[in-house]
Amino acid sequence: SARLLGSFNDHNHAWLAATRAISTPTYEQTAANVDNTGPIIPPGSPSNPFPLPVTTSVIANPAIKSERITAYEAGYRTQIGSALSLDATVFRHNYRSLRGEAFVDVQCQPSGTSVFLDPTCLFTSSSVRNVIQFQNVLEGHSSGVEVAADWAPVNGARFTAAYSYLNLTVNSPRSDP
């Protein structure tokens, strides 16, 4: 993180900041396989086109990377008299390698045969398993502004007003395999 503060006088200050940070993947994302992570979806329901119940499993991804953010911010603060202060901040944050769930396979159970390789396995199976995995499939950015006023006209009375605007865009930089 790098920060720069400029004071023009006792009542007016401006600042700039640039920050890089990461979020390390968890053990569950890199090394754990978890079966039946959600409710069983019965056959014939709108979200299950198969004639068998569907379960979901999450498989480990030892190759998953850390999520990354680069943040840029600028702000200004002024003190108007002894009772009123105003603050304004603008920011832009860039997100890379965000983790999301990626579809891996649909398998007949208990054999583990891929439905895409052998659809006839559906006739001899007791259920179907959706297999998903956390992968670095998303990136995005956010930008916005924050303004605030703090007014203390008399001892024991204080009024604060704030407004924040955030524009967030997250998308997939590539299509699923």
Side-chain angles (χ1 to χ4, degrees):
S1 183
R3 300 188 176 274
L4 178 65
L5 173 66
S7 294
F8 305 109
N9 55 42
D10 289 343
H11 302 291
N12 293 287
H13 310 281
W15 57 272
L16 297 170
T19 304
R20 290 191 61 154
I22 64 168
S23 172
T24 306
T26 64
Y27 171 79
E28 289 83 6
Q29 294 166 340
T30 60
N33 293 321
V34 182
D35 286 331
N36 302 322
T37 59
I40 296 173
I41 304 169
S45 65
S47 57
N48 180 2
F50 297 104
L52 302 167
V54 174
T55 62
T56 302
S57 295
V58 178
I59 60 171
N61 183 358
I64 197 166
K65 300 175 191 170
S66 294
E67 294 177 317
R68 301 184 182 285
I69 180 175
T70 305
Y72 304 99
E73 303 169 8
Y76 185 79
R77 179 174 207 178
T78 186
Q79 183 76 39
I80 303 170
S82 61
L84 178 64
S85 67
L86 302 173
D87 292 276
T89 304
V90 295
F91 61 89
R92 167 83 179 193
H93 300 163
N94 296 316
Y95 307 97
R96 299 288 176 257
S97 299
L98 295 178
R99 292 184 288 273
E101 293 178 357
F103 170 78
V104 176
D105 199 5
V106 176
Q107 299 173 344
C108 292
Q109 293 301 307
S111 69
T113 303
S114 174
V115 172
F116 300 112
L117 297 178
D118 181 13
T120 62
C121 71
L122 291 169
F123 299 111
T124 59
S125 298
S126 59
S127 66
V128 177
R129 177 173 73 165
N130 283 328
V131 182
I132 60 175
Q133 183 181 60
F134 287 101
Q135 296 179 2
N136 301 102
V137 293
L138 302 170
E139 35 182 65
H141 61 271
S142 64
S143 57
V145 62
E146 298 174 350
V147 293
D150 191 19
W151 181 44
V154 294
N155 282 344
R158 184 176 192 168
F159 301 93
T160 303
Y163 173 78
S164 296
Y165 171 77
L166 173 68
N167 180 16
L168 175 65
T169 302
V170 178
N171 54 41
S172 178
R174 60 182 175 83
S175 57
D176 287 331

